[in-house]
Amino acid sequence: HALFYIVFVLATCALFSKTWIEVSGSAPRDVAKQLQNQSMVMKGHRETGMVSVLNRYIPTAAAFGGMAIGAICVFADFM
């Protein structure tokens, strides 16, 4: 039961955090638009390719952050 609980909590938190970035305006396309509005560019990348570069990092960071929060919650439950 404990293994199922750990997997469920971690997966749910990761999924929720990836969904949250889409809803909250922190999606890669939104961040790219914000950077373009501020006239900021990523060195070595074209403005049109910024979304694909950000798409590599933002969802992964969100999922990992959600799993970290889930791990803290699981740890607190088992204490």
Side-chain angles (χ1 to χ4, degrees), residues 61-78:
F64 183 74
M67 286 177 56
I69 296 296
I72 292 169
C73 291
V74 167
F75 178 74
D77 280 345
F78 285 141

Side-chain angles (χ1 to χ4, degrees), residues 28-63:
R29 65 183 174 281
D30 300 326
V31 173
K33 186 185 292 185
Q34 291 171 359
L35 291 174
Q36 287 175 352
N37 289 341
Q38 296 174 0
S39 301
M40 296 179 75
V41 295
M42 293 174 60
K43 187 176 181 179
H45 298 283
R46 294 188 175 122
E47 289 182 20
T48 57
M50 199 179 315
V51 174
S52 63
V53 173
L54 292 172
N55 203 20
R56 278 188 267 166
Y57 298 107
I58 292 177
T60 304

